[in-house]
Amino acid sequence: MKKLHYFPGNANLAPHIVLQEVGAEYELVPVDRKNSSHKSPAYLKLNPAGRIPVLEDGDLVLFEAAAICLHLADTHPDSDVAPPVGSSERAQMYKWLMYLTNTIQPEVLTYHYTDRHQPLPDAVPAAKARSDERLMEMFDLIEKELAANGPWLVGDRFTLADIYLLMNARFSRMCSRPPATRPHLKRLLDAVAARPATIRACEEEGLTAPFYC
Ligand SMILES: N[C@@H](CCC(=O)N[C@@H](CS)C(=O)NCC(=O)O)C(=O)O
């Protein structure tokens, strides 16, 4: 049985929705963030970075949310979450997933944990405001792409990148212009949020709709 180590609404959300999308059997293992159990020796054996989530799949132990999503797609090739390996749609899915995980998500972390990136307390508000601006530029870019080539990130093909986008939109819902204030993004987010897999995963994490604003 697969085990997903999670905390409600953390970076486990996309892998959790993908677990539901592919119809996998899994167990949720809560991480006690209040007592920093993600920094405990036992957890650090699973994820030396001390971050959430981790997926245990038999002997395989995986951290990094995007890697977990791709592993689930690879091991459930008949599911809906990814186009065939080698197709140009699959390559486009990789492109968007990488953009989300290596450009947007680090900026989200800078926005939420600005004091880790700017040690001068007086400079934190300005650094947070700059991070907000950068995030808004990134979501504007996605909006423009969706307007030109949507309705999904990969044209007319729903993929796990759309699920990953929902997670990052949720993380950014308190920004100056929340992602869902953009019409094409809102349509995509509404559609992902309405999927039974998303509803079930959010229910299991105790998150209430709308999941991204
Ligand atoms: N790139 C990692 C980021 C994971 C991450 O930063 N998770 C946050 C929760 S959303 C966390 O564990 N924060 C605790 C900490 O930084 O100490 C992934 O996508 O799995």
Side-chain angles (χ1 to χ4, degrees):
M1 171 84 84
K2 295 173 180 39
K3 288 183 186 173
L4 181 67
H5 297 254
Y6 87 108
F7 184 86
N10 277 195
N12 40 264
L13 184 59
H16 190 174
I17 297 172
V18 175
L19 277 165
Q20 280 284 343
E21 283 282 353
V22 302
E25 285 193 12
Y26 63 89
E27 182 189 321
L28 289 174
V29 183
V31 176
D32 183 0
R33 271 198 78 154
K34 283 201 183 90
N35 290 308
S36 294
S37 76
H38 52 308
K39 309 295 177 191
S40 69
Y43 191 88
L44 291 174
K45 272 192 196 157
L46 301 173
N47 183 353
R51 303 284 185 106
I52 304 161
V54 167
L55 180 79
E56 292 184 75
D57 186 0
D59 291 338
L60 175 69
V61 179
L62 262 189
F63 59 92
E64 285 300 322
I68 296 170
C69 292
L70 288 173
H71 167 68
L72 292 170
D74 289 349
T75 49
H76 297 82
D78 295 332
S79 72
D80 243 8
V81 294
V85 174
S87 63
S88 46
E89 287 180 322
R90 181 107 174 183
Q92 294 292 347
M93 180 190 82
Y94 290 150
K95 176 189 79 180
W96 282 116
L97 185 64
M98 298 313 139
Y99 185 71
L100 290 163
T101 191
N102 74 17
T103 302
I104 294 193
Q105 211 172 325
E107 196 62 55
V108 163
L109 292 171
T110 306
Y111 176 85
H112 284 289
Y113 304 110
T114 314
D115 52 341
R116 290 187 192 171
H117 299 265
Q118 174 46 263
L120 300 173
D122 288 352
V124 166
K128 194 177 178 79
R130 185 68 194 104
S131 181
D132 179 281
E133 278 170 27
R134 281 194 297 268
L135 275 171
M136 295 307 90
E137 285 163 13
M138 293 168 194
F139 283 106
D140 285 344
L141 178 153
I142 291 184
E143 175 70 3
K144 207 170 152 196
E145 287 289 318
L146 290 175
N149 302 309
W152 303 106
L153 283 171
V154 182
D156 53 12
R157 178 69 160 81
F158 164 76
T159 70
L160 59 81
D162 301 302
I163 296 172
Y164 216 91
L165 176 55
L166 176 93
M167 182 174 80
N168 275 291
R170 177 178 171 79
F171 292 157
S172 309
R173 67 195 187 284
M174 57 297 288
C175 285
S176 55
R177 284 185 297 121
T181 55
R182 296 159 182 81
H184 296 88
L185 255 162
K186 179 168 178 1
R187 196 165 56 209
L188 181 152
L189 295 168
D190 283 347
V192 178
R195 292 178 74 86
T198 308
I199 293 168
R200 283 195 296 268
C202 288
E203 264 173 21
E204 286 182 349
E205 295 196 15
L207 309 178
T208 47
F211 309 122
Y212 50 83
C213 54

